[in-house]
Amino acid sequence: MAKPRILPDKSGKPLYVLLTVEEYAKLTGASKAASQNKSGKAAVAGKRPVGRPSSGKGVVTPIRVQRERLGLSQAEVARRLGMTQGGYAVIEKSLNPRAATVSKVAKALGVSVAKLSA
């Protein structure tokens, strides 16, 4: 099981914790099915739900969630993809990346394409 990741705010104070659906269900006592929405994807609570802009100041996308869950930096993923960190950051913030791009990122992260689909 992956170690939960703490996401800080701009000042460095803990703001969010990323958990897998299984970890969430274990902590809350909810069944895995109860912790998912109608589409079968994990429900996310908080001010910045996955794949949605937050007051125009950033996006938490499935690609970012998986990268952070794995404890990788943007620079490391960019290196694996053979691109710059800035170029990768654009991909990571995209709400609708191309299928070919998602496939390449999934391979670089070592996860399935389904885990990167919102």
Side-chain angles (χ1 to χ4, degrees):
M1 199 177 309
K3 180 180 175 185
R5 297 274 303 164
I6 296 174
L7 300 177
D9 64 13
K10 290 182 180 179
S11 68
K13 294 179 185 175
L15 184 62
Y16 297 102
V17 176
L18 296 176
L19 302 168
T20 63
V21 172
E22 291 82 11
E23 291 165 330
Y24 173 78
K26 185 186 283 186
L27 288 171
T28 62
S31 70
K32 183 176 176 182
S35 63
Q36 295 180 340
N37 60 27
K38 290 179 183 176
S39 69
K41 296 187 173 87
V44 178
K47 295 179 184 175
R48 295 186 343 175
V50 171
R52 303 270 186 230
S54 70
S55 59
K57 292 188 177 184
V59 175
V60 179
T61 62
I63 291 174
R64 177 179 171 188
V65 168
Q66 288 300 316
R67 175 185 59 79
E68 291 182 346
R69 184 183 67 79
L70 295 167
L72 299 172
S73 67
Q74 285 185 342
E76 172 58 22
V77 178
R79 185 192 65 74
R80 292 178 184 188
L81 290 167
M83 63 187 340
T84 66
Q85 179 273 327
Y88 173 75
V90 170
I91 292 169
E92 188 172 276
K93 290 178 185 177
S94 175
L95 294 177
N96 193 21
R98 294 180 13 199
T101 301
V102 173
S103 179
K104 289 175 186 176
V105 172
K107 185 175 180 181
L109 294 175
V111 300
S112 69
V113 170
K115 286 197 176 211
L116 302 183
S117 301

